[in-house]
Amino acid sequence: MIDQAVSALAGKKRILVFTGAGISTESGIPDFRGPQGIWKQFDPADYTYDRYVDDPGFREESWGKRFRSPYLGASPNDAHRAVTRLWDAGRLVGCVTQNVDGLHAAAGLDPEGLVELHGTANQIHCISCGDRPEFDEIEQRWESGEADPSCRRCEGILKTTIVYFGEDLPVDATTRAWNMAQRADAVLVVGSSLCVYPAAFVPLDVVDRGNPMVIVNRGKTDHDFRATALVDGTAGEILPELADRLIDS
Ligand code: APR
């Protein structure tokens, strides 16, 4: 399986890497739709932007989950590091991730080569005036008892930049992601079910222009039928070998 992936990507110099929650499960962060996925415990319909804006109780619950998250201390794994090595070796047009865990950045991936399409849990902004207070400042205010800290500049609602259902994707991230897809000569999907849009349109745009798609994923995705090569397995084992063989090719 991995041989087919290597031959599909050998010689490609502008690979777009598209990652989902499956690249972070070996760092201890559950995915959404796998056997122990988050959406098996919680209802995604509860995580809407409108509910966050309208319901102070939901905001307090969200801040509690954020600042008490067991995943706060998660570290990148060998798959994240393999993506960084491919970027450093000049083989990628970039990495577009759906993940909000910040682990690609923590694995040393150049910000120039990273698009966090669904935002990140590590940044906070005011949904009214756009102010971006430091994460630590808001965490300290929460620790000292402000259950739903508001914007110091305009008293507006503060929120992590995680994109909730019903919320538009960030314009700058979307623009950068489409730009990478337009320039890509191949796409490598890692750990995504490819079932959420508009994010999934990014890798599909590369395929629609006649370029190969390699999917490294445990189990099926919604677009396996369009892949040049499918590697059904664990990202933390497959990506390092794939990166080694591509960098040497
Ligand atoms: N190696 C390879 N694949 C894995 C691993 C692993 N270690 N662990 C899990 N997987 C696979 C799962 O089997 C699943 O097919 O990764 C895929 C993850 O799919 P999802 O859980 O649907 O996650 P993702 O595709 O990132 O979801 C997209 O949905 O809920 C929204 O905004 C949320 O960004 C998320 C979006």
Side-chain angles (χ1 to χ4, degrees), residues 162-212:
I162 296 172
V163 177
Y164 278 46
F165 289 109
E167 185 177 2
D168 292 335
L169 296 187
V171 173
D172 55 324
T174 309
T175 306
R176 289 184 63 224
W178 283 118
N179 182 279
M180 286 180 180
Q182 286 294 309
R183 288 184 292 127
D185 59 4
V187 57
L188 169 59
V189 174
V190 185
S192 179
S193 57
L194 292 177
C195 71
V196 168
Y197 299 87
F201 285 133
V202 172
L204 297 179
D205 180 71
V206 184
V207 180
D208 289 347
R209 290 189 294 104
N211 300 295

Side-chain angles (χ1 to χ4, degrees), residues 6-188:
V6 171
S7 50
L9 298 176
K12 298 294 182 184
K13 300 281 185 220
R14 298 187 312 283
I15 302 167
L16 173 71
V17 175
F18 182 80
T19 65
I23 200 171
S24 295
T25 54
E26 291 160 87
S27 297
I29 300 177
D31 62 16
F32 294 96
R33 298 171 186 82
Q36 274 74 42
I38 289 176
W39 298 144
K40 298 270 192 308
Q41 302 158 46
F42 301 100
D43 179 355
D46 289 343
Y47 291 78
T48 64
Y49 181 73
D50 289 347
R51 186 176 174 212
Y52 188 88
V53 173
D54 299 338
D55 180 350
F58 179 58
R59 290 201 296 273
E60 290 185 17
E61 187 191 314
S62 303
W63 288 120
K65 282 202 181 110
R66 180 64 196 90
F67 294 126
R68 282 282 167 273
S69 164
Y71 316 125
L72 261 178
S75 309
N77 62 58
D78 290 341
H80 297 103
R81 284 187 282 273
V83 173
T84 302
R85 285 196 293 119
L86 282 167
W87 169 266
D88 292 344
R91 298 297 296 271
L92 304 187
V93 71
C95 171
V96 175
T97 187
Q98 301 171 95
N99 300 340
V100 299
D101 54 32
L103 292 185
H104 279 298
L109 182 57
D110 182 341
E112 271 303 298
L114 174 61
V115 176
E116 293 174 310
L117 199 54
H118 288 168
T120 169
N122 303 326
Q123 272 175 17
I124 292 169
H125 70 158
C126 172
I127 66 172
S128 303
C129 72
D131 189 37
R132 287 191 172 230
E134 286 302 317
F135 182 90
D136 295 348
E137 177 213 324
I138 306 305
E139 185 173 32
Q140 276 152 28
R141 287 174 55 188
W142 182 81
E143 296 279 7
S144 53
E146 289 187 62
D148 178 20
S150 59
C151 175
R152 280 268 160 82
R153 200 160 78 175
C154 75
E155 290 303 307
I157 291 173
L158 292 177
K159 178 178 167 297
T160 65
T161 60
I162 296 172
V163 177
Y164 278 46
F165 289 109
E167 185 177 2
D168 292 335
L169 296 187
V171 173
D172 55 324
T174 309
T175 306
R176 289 184 63 224
W178 283 118
N179 182 279
M180 286 180 180
Q182 286 294 309
R183 288 184 292 127
D185 59 4
V187 57
L188 169 59

